[in-house]
Amino acid sequence: MGFRQKKAADESSESDSSKGGSGDTTLPIASWYDLFSFLGTPRNELLFVFGCVAAALNGLVYPILAMLFSTSFSDLGGASDGMSEITSVALSFVYVGAFAFAVATLQSGCLEIAAAQAATNFSQQWFSAILRQDTAFFDAHDVSGLASMIGASSRKVRRGLGRKFGEGIQFGTCFVFGLAYAFYSSWRV
């Protein structure tokens, strides 16, 4: 949630509570721009982009494995000298495994570092916004509840921009390219 939205929501809840309202206001959902604005520095934005590219490449692993399995059975079945075919198939799986390890490490490393920094920026900006409030705000809101909300929301930002965002890209890419390979290999579906 952007701080402009939070400030507007706080002002509306203050006016509601002064009118005798319940003060139970649901806050609007943050936009993607607001969420990505917490990345802050160009270094974090670059890490985030590298992590997203690595997630997309990681999503290609399962369609590549499907292609490798389908070709390996036909290669091994029609081989006259079985040992050279087995060696080439085994090396293909090792190469795909090394590729998967490299891109999965890049995906999780880059996205987690960027998400941790975004969560820190989020907490600092939220805390600064709370400190700018006048004393009437603290009369209407529970101060200890605000501190726990900062921590919980910061963890959500970190989880959402880190692992979950990467997995969304990874599995979306896997779905699209898996479906494309399925249609490419056989139209009888």
Side-chain angles (χ1 to χ4, degrees):
M1 147 185 30
F3 289 103
R4 285 173 267 139
Q5 294 171 341
K6 175 145 179 58
K7 185 176 178 184
D10 289 340
E11 290 171 358
S12 69
S13 70
E14 286 177 13
S15 65
D16 286 346
S17 57
S18 66
K19 293 178 186 175
S22 65
D24 218 10
T25 307
T26 58
L27 298 174
I29 295 176
S31 68
W32 286 105
Y33 177 77
D34 289 335
L35 189 61
F36 291 136
S37 70
F38 294 117
L39 288 172
T41 64
R43 176 186 171 267
N44 290 335
E45 291 171 357
L46 191 63
L47 280 172
F48 191 77
V49 168
F50 280 151
C52 290
V53 169
L57 291 174
N58 197 11
L60 292 175
V61 170
Y62 287 114
I64 289 171
L65 283 175
M67 182 186 69
L68 222 75
F69 270 116
S70 68
T71 59
S72 66
F73 287 127
S74 63
D75 288 347
L76 291 176
S80 59
D81 179 25
M83 203 57 182
S84 66
E85 300 298 327
I86 290 173
T87 304
S88 68
V89 168
L91 280 176
S92 299
F93 279 108
V94 168
Y95 295 147
V96 171
F99 173 77
F101 177 75
V103 294
T105 302
L106 276 175
Q107 171 189 345
S108 63
C110 291
L111 288 177
E112 284 299 319
I113 290 170
Q117 188 60 44
T120 301
N121 290 342
F122 174 78
S123 297
Q124 289 172 349
Q125 289 179 15
W126 193 340
F127 187 68
S128 295
I130 288 175
L131 289 178
R132 286 193 302 266
Q133 301 297 321
D134 59 350
T135 55
F137 174 82
F138 296 107
D139 291 337
H141 294 86
D142 181 26
V143 177
S144 63
L146 291 174
S148 64
M149 281 177 38
I150 291 174
S153 297
S154 176
R155 284 188 295 275
K156 286 179 184 178
V157 166
R158 182 175 182 170
R159 191 173 40 241
L161 282 178
R163 190 182 77 215
K164 296 296 183 184
F165 194 81
E167 286 176 354
I169 292 173
Q170 175 188 347
F171 296 138
T173 304
C174 184
F175 173 76
V176 168
F177 281 94
L179 204 58
Y181 175 69
F183 282 125
Y184 171 75
S185 64
S186 176
W187 280 97
R188 291 174 287 179
V189 174

